[in-house]
Amino acid sequence: MYQSNILVDHIVNFTSQRDKDLLAFSLLKSVNSMMTCTKTKIISINKRGEVLSHISFENNHCVVNEATILIDDVLINTFEQMNESSRDEYTLKTKTGYSVIRLLHHDRKGEQFLVINLHEKIGKVQSYILSGILSIYNNFISLLHESQTDELTGLANRKTFDSAISKVFDNLPQEYDEVDNERRALDKKLIHNKENYWLSIIDIDDFKRVNDEFGHLYGDEILIHLAQIIRSSFRQNDLQFRFGGEEFVVLLNADDKEKCIQILERFRRKVEEYSFPSVDKITVSIGAVEFIRGTFHVTLIDYADQALYRSKKQGKNQITFFEDMVNQGLVKTSDIQGGEVDLF
């Protein structure tokens, strides 16, 4: 029988985490220590069956990969069969043993699966303990999700912004030889150095007038619809936040500034052409700045906010880049002092 004190230690360990990646890694480490596993992994896929993320634990090594990782067709087919039959567990016979597959989470975006590779078929006691661990994990991750999500729109909230942004340009080696490095390892995302990011602040034009004329319930409905447009206009791995009120922040990845302009302009037009309930038409103003390594993110928010103010001042329903303001001599980077912007 698995020792109860060790089991409690594992539960205490992964419920002490406040980051979803760290929580996932702690779960993998706990499962790996409970069983004689050759490998454990958590795979997240979207509704199209494309891999969104892949975290694995093997021989005390944690490996984090992005969507470029290739998943075996047999495994993908098993995921699809589990979805079609509404099964939350499956045991697959392999050439080297067995793969125990458990559904960890599913929502409108996709599913997350735990895959455990074993030499021998899982026993009843191990299966019972595993089910208990996963129930606690699922309950805890639901609480974590609620605390980090804006209740009205379902986007990430302001509370999660600082920790999420701090991950973006941290280098993450693909493999860690020491288990003690878990917090350093999974407190970061796998970011390729050649990727470019832009921080954009989105603000609904004349939103106070909407609330005054139609009431706050209609105002809330507009915020919900705008959040849906944000989700459909940007990729899932572009960080999306509601900062409060009518302001949203998106950190998006694009090859260059021209591509960023295309993405933001497509979003702006989509909002402009959308028929909102009761009020029919609204527009948004956007301020953007390139996310530069070594620049404090609060300063970058200030820069984006200056660009947003310029969009408002120039007639609204447009996009302004802070770099263009600097090139035009409208502002200097030294003119912006950290902490000036109020995003609430």
Side-chain angles (χ1 to χ4, degrees), residues 105-120:
H105 175 75
H106 69 91
D107 55 26
R108 63 176 180 273
K109 297 178 182 178
E111 291 80 31
Q112 186 180 68
F113 296 91
L114 170 67
V115 181
I116 307 169
N117 295 335
L118 301 166
H119 287 303
E120 299 179 356

Side-chain angles (χ1 to χ4, degrees), residues 261-300:
I261 293 173
Q262 292 176 13
I263 295 171
L264 290 176
E265 181 61 24
R266 183 172 63 241
F267 164 72
R268 186 200 63 78
R269 289 197 306 268
K270 196 170 183 178
V271 175
E272 184 180 37
E273 296 167 358
Y274 190 85
S275 180
F276 288 84
S278 300
V279 300
D280 192 24
K281 299 297 181 182
I282 69 165
T283 60
V284 294
S285 296
I286 302 174
V289 64
E290 187 175 2
F291 203 97
I292 304 296
R293 181 189 298 273
T295 303
F296 190 39
H297 66 260
V298 172
T299 303
L300 290 171

